[in-house]
Amino acid sequence: MKRAIRVTVNRTEHVLSVEPCETLLDLLRNHLNLTGAKLGCDQQVCGACTVLLDGLPVSSCTVLAVDVDARQVLSIEGLAEGQELHPIQHAFLRHSAFQCAYCTPGMIMAIKALQDQVPRANDDQIRHFLAGNICRCGCHVEILEVARAILGTPSTPPREVLP
Ligand code: FES
Ligand code: FES
């Protein structure tokens, strides 16, 4: 049986009727036509569906829509200010940190959460924070550069390889 929920998405409040089995990703894509967050693994492994829920990053494929009642969601569509892209979006363009871009919205939202929570993150913290976001095109080096640029983190020299 459907349930009514009231949720704020990208600063706009919505009253929606959702099925108990629907996820937050379904809510965004099917109810609100916000298709930036992507379905990849559907089991909280790849991070393609990452959005912020009350400011914290979540895999929207594994959050039930009924559980976002009275909560705040920020998706990639809510990041830009009007026509002006967010600095993280600009940094992705500047560093060419994507190929197919399927992972990009989730990566951007994860870096946004990192910026909010650990604004002076070091290299290891960046790597740890982004471990749940996978880029199948292999752009991790460029994505790491984006995170470093946004957080002002100096690059760590490659670890020495033992003989
Ligand atoms: S689709 Fe949600 S984590 Fe992969
Ligand atoms: S750019 Fe293709 S999956 Fe990351």
Side-chain angles (χ1 to χ4, degrees), residues 11 74-81 86 89 108-109 112:
R11 297 171 287 279
L74 183 69
S75 73
I76 187 74
E77 291 87 350
L79 212 51
E81 292 285 346
H86 188 279
Q89 294 171 306
I108 290 174
M109 297 313 290
K112 162 84 171 116

Side-chain angles (χ1 to χ4, degrees), residues 52 55 74 86 109-119 151:
L52 303 194
L74 183 69
H86 188 279
M109 297 313 290
I111 294 175
K112 162 84 171 116
L114 176 60
Q115 182 185 29
D116 292 345
Q117 291 173 41
V118 195
L151 300 163

Side-chain angles (χ1 to χ4, degrees), residues 49-161:
C49 63
T50 303
V51 299
L52 303 194
L53 180 59
D54 293 337
L56 297 176
V58 295
S59 298
S60 60
C61 69
T62 53
V63 175
L64 288 174
V66 291
D67 287 338
V68 302
D69 187 29
R71 300 178 77 180
Q72 307 264 345
V73 177
L74 183 69
S75 73
I76 187 74
E77 291 87 350
L79 212 51
E81 292 285 346
Q83 296 300 308
E84 183 55 37
L85 292 179
H86 188 279
I88 301 172
Q89 294 171 306
H90 276 300
F92 264 78
L93 292 171
R94 205 168 49 249
H95 289 270
S96 301
F98 53 86
Q99 288 184 30
C100 76
Y102 201 81
C103 71
T104 308
M107 290 285 187
I108 290 174
M109 297 313 290
I111 294 175
K112 162 84 171 116
L114 176 60
Q115 182 185 29
D116 292 345
Q117 291 173 41
V118 195
R120 305 181 76 84
N122 62 30
D123 232 36
D124 284 342
Q125 288 171 312
I126 294 173
R127 289 171 194 271
H128 180 76
F129 205 92
L130 296 182
N133 290 75
I134 296 169
C135 174
R136 290 169 178 79
C137 297
C139 298
H140 290 284
V141 171
E142 292 81 4
I143 292 166
L144 200 52
E145 285 302 326
V146 167
R148 287 176 182 141
I150 289 296
L151 300 163
T153 310
S155 299
T156 305
R159 292 185 175 90
E160 280 185 25
V161 179

